[in-house]
Amino acid sequence: MLYTLVVKSSHLNNNPDAMALALDLIHHKHQVTAIFFLFDGAYTANAFIDMPTDEPNISQQWSEFAQAHDIRLVVCSASAARRGICATNLARGFNLGSIGELVESCDAADRVVSL
């Protein structure tokens, strides 16, 4: 089954749940075409967020996950701009994109999960 994931929560909220779902989908042999970060989810793509050493670096985890499984991480450019995120402070592995890309990905997917 083909999935598109939409992460709307910040890196401080249920973003780790989205990561767990993505890992579970891959583990069960589903395809994840793209993961979109909208609204506060865009904070995940900020390379300048410095998490305490006792907390996981969710941006780095997403980058490693996407690279290992060849999945695009797309950050809504409007959401990013509203939160001070631009191409110069975008975390490794994340790409700025548009709502049009989200619509195309959702249209092609069998399932869309929003967290």
Side-chain angles (χ1 to χ4, degrees):
M1 192 160 291
L2 196 59
Y3 283 84
T4 293
L5 302 182
V6 181
V7 180
K8 299 184 294 185
S9 60
S10 80
H11 62 291
L12 300 174
N13 293 324
N14 74 345
N15 208 305
D17 294 338
M19 172 66 71
L21 173 63
L23 287 166
D24 194 50
L25 290 171
I26 296 297
H27 176 74
H28 286 94
K29 307 296 184 211
H30 296 289
Q31 276 187 292
V32 178
T33 57
I35 301 171
F36 287 84
F37 295 85
L38 298 176
F39 310 122
D40 283 348
Y43 284 122
T44 308
N46 188 345
F48 296 148
I49 290 178
D50 189 19
M51 297 299 289
T53 56
D54 63 335
E55 293 183 29
N57 184 333
I58 194 73
S59 296
Q60 181 180 0
Q61 289 177 347
W62 277 118
S63 294
E64 291 169 359
F65 170 79
Q67 184 176 12
H69 301 288
D70 195 30
I71 297 172
R72 285 200 67 207
L73 302 177
V74 182
V75 183
C76 172
S77 57
S79 293
R82 286 184 186 99
R83 289 156 180 84
I85 301 164
C86 58
T88 58
N89 65 338
L90 203 59
R92 183 179 56 86
F94 288 85
N95 304 285
L96 291 174
S98 68
I99 291 295
E101 289 179 72
L102 173 60
V103 171
E104 287 177 11
S105 184
C106 290
D107 189 44
D110 296 312
R111 300 278 187 267
V112 178
V113 179
S114 178
L115 302 142

